[in-house]
Amino acid sequence: VEFPKGTKRYPTNVEGIDKAPLLLRDAYSAPISVLNGKKIYFVGDSLTEVNYRTNKGYVESLKQDKYIDAVNHGTSGYGYQTKDDNFLGTDADTSDAFVIFLGINDFGNVSGYKLPLSAVLKSAKVLISKAVIQSKGRPVGVILPMNNINTLNDAIGAGGYSLKQLVDGL
C-alpha cells in the first residue's frame, strides 16, 4: 500500500474512509495478507482443535478471514511431552509454514504429568526444535500459553509453578 505524501491526514475510521485516497481505502476494505493462499499447519491442544466446545476456532477464523489453506492438527489433552517424533505428520511436507500453540495442559495436569517447570520447559524446547527440523527452513510460529479462569492471580498449577513463570520461561 502506498500512502500519500504530504502533511494532510486522512481519517481512519469507517465514516471517514471514503475521503482517503483510493489505495488507502482499498487496503482498509480488503486488507492484503501475506497469508493469502498459503498452507499453514497448526499444532496445539483443544483450543486449536475444533471439538464439542466450539464449532469454529481460531484456525477456522484464519481460514475464512485470511484465505489460507489450513491443516488443523489440534488435539485435546495434548501436552509438550506427549507428541511423538513425527508430530507434524505427513501433511507437513506440503505446508508453507507452521504454528504451534503451546497450551496450558501441562500446567493443569491434563496430560497426566505433574512435572516441574524445568521439565516442562525442556519438553517445550524439544517440541519446538523438532518442529524447526521437520519444517526444513519454512517459518515456524509459536503462540504462548494464555490465561484462563484456572490461571488468574498467579494460581499455581499441578507442577508447582504459575502460568506467568511458564510463559516467562518459554
Side-chain angles (χ1 to χ4, degrees), residues 1-23:
V1 174
E2 258 182 60
F3 290 99
K5 300 201 180 335
T7 59
K8 183 167 172 107
R9 293 180 181 245
Y10 294 93
T12 56
N13 59 20
V14 174
E15 296 81 31
I17 199 67
D18 60 332
K19 296 176 185 161
L22 182 60
L23 290 174

Side-chain angles (χ1 to χ4, degrees), residues 126-143:
V126 168
L127 181 72
I128 294 167
S129 297
K130 286 179 186 178
V132 169
I133 291 167
Q134 291 178 34
S135 72
K136 299 176 183 158
R138 292 166 286 174
V140 176
V142 176
I143 301 173

Side-chain angles (χ1 to χ4, degrees), residues 16-155:
I17 199 67
D18 60 332
K19 296 176 185 161
L22 182 60
L23 290 174
L24 185 58
R25 186 173 63 239
D26 289 347
Y28 182 86
S29 62
I32 299 167
S33 172
V34 296
L35 300 177
N36 284 1
K38 300 294 183 186
K39 183 176 181 182
I40 314 293
Y41 195 93
F42 291 86
V43 177
D45 60 10
S46 59
L47 297 176
T48 301
E49 176 186 56
V50 176
N51 55 37
Y52 69 91
R53 292 181 187 98
T54 181
N55 60 359
K56 181 180 177 183
Y58 75 93
V59 175
E60 298 306 311
S61 293
L62 286 170
K63 283 172 68 173
Q64 177 183 331
D65 298 342
K66 297 299 180 188
Y67 309 106
I68 64 171
D69 178 17
V71 176
N72 189 337
H73 203 230
T75 307
S76 289
Y78 143 84
Y80 309 158
Q81 69 280 346
T82 57
K83 286 289 183 186
D84 63 22
D85 286 341
N86 295 310
F87 73 96
L88 288 183
T90 57
D91 288 323
D93 293 339
T94 59
S95 295
D96 297 303
F98 306 88
V99 175
I100 302 170
F101 187 168
L102 296 174
I104 63 168
N105 286 338
D106 295 286
F107 173 85
N109 195 32
V110 172
S111 302
Y113 301 94
K114 290 184 181 179
L115 299 173
L117 180 60
S118 60
V120 172
L121 291 175
K122 182 177 179 182
S123 295
K125 182 177 180 179
V126 168
L127 181 72
I128 294 167
S129 297
K130 286 179 186 178
V132 169
I133 291 167
Q134 291 178 34
S135 72
K136 299 176 183 158
R138 292 166 286 174
V140 176
V142 176
I143 301 173
L144 295 175
M146 55 187 79
N147 276 319
N148 71 17
I149 194 73
N150 299 319
T151 63
L152 297 176
N153 301 320
D154 290 328

